[in-house]
Amino acid sequence: MVLLPLIEGLLEFPIETNQCISPISQLLTALRFYATGSHLDSIADYMGMHSTTAVRIIPKVSRAIASLYTRFIKLPVTEQESSRAMRNFYDIARFPHVIGAIDCTHVKIVSPGIIYF
């Protein structure tokens, strides 16, 4: 319910024709897809819509959520901020050369081959 008001304007249709899918239904459809990783046919059936509708909704909601990245994702900008972040991560957990973490989830990141000290 926190997310809906932030993206609702991006999900609304300018005019209500052809039984538009409400923003809350679009968000719930996408969240169901993200949570289950199920086939779109199953998601569409569960949500009571045609599978082609679900195919259009998932990317639309994904783009709307992704557009909020500057509000929720903050990384160091200056060299001083990066150095401070690296020092803090090292002091806390002995992780060298780390400037940020996402949701405590391990994500494989392929090194570009550059090592910063």
Side-chain angles (χ1 to χ4, degrees):
M1 295 315 296
V2 172
L3 184 57
L4 182 62
L6 300 176
I7 63 171
E8 193 168 20
L10 299 171
L11 303 179
E12 289 178 323
F13 290 92
I15 54 174
E16 291 195 29
T17 58
N18 300 333
Q19 301 172 347
C20 299
I21 307 294
S22 68
I24 185 68
S25 293
Q26 292 179 59
L27 177 59
L28 292 174
T29 300
L31 292 176
R32 178 82 178 169
F33 176 72
Y34 302 152
T36 64
S38 186
H39 293 283
L40 286 174
D41 288 334
S42 300
I43 300 294
D45 186 48
Y46 181 81
M47 296 302 291
M49 62 183 64
H50 195 274
S51 59
T52 57
T53 302
V55 166
R56 288 191 309 271
I57 285 174
I58 304 301
K60 183 178 179 181
V61 173
S62 298
R63 282 190 301 275
I65 293 170
S67 73
L68 302 172
Y69 78 94
T70 57
R71 187 173 183 158
F72 296 102
I73 299 173
K74 306 288 187 212
L75 290 174
V77 177
T78 67
E79 184 65 36
Q80 182 182 7
E81 290 173 343
S82 294
S83 295
R84 186 175 339 129
M86 282 191 264
R87 188 173 45 255
N88 289 340
F89 271 101
Y90 188 81
D91 290 346
I92 292 169
R94 300 292 182 248
F95 285 158
H97 311 295
V98 174
I99 61 168
I102 300 174
D103 190 40
C104 297
T105 302
H106 296 276
V107 179
K108 183 177 180 178
I109 299 174
V110 179
S111 170
I114 301 170
I115 299 175
Y116 296 99
F117 289 97

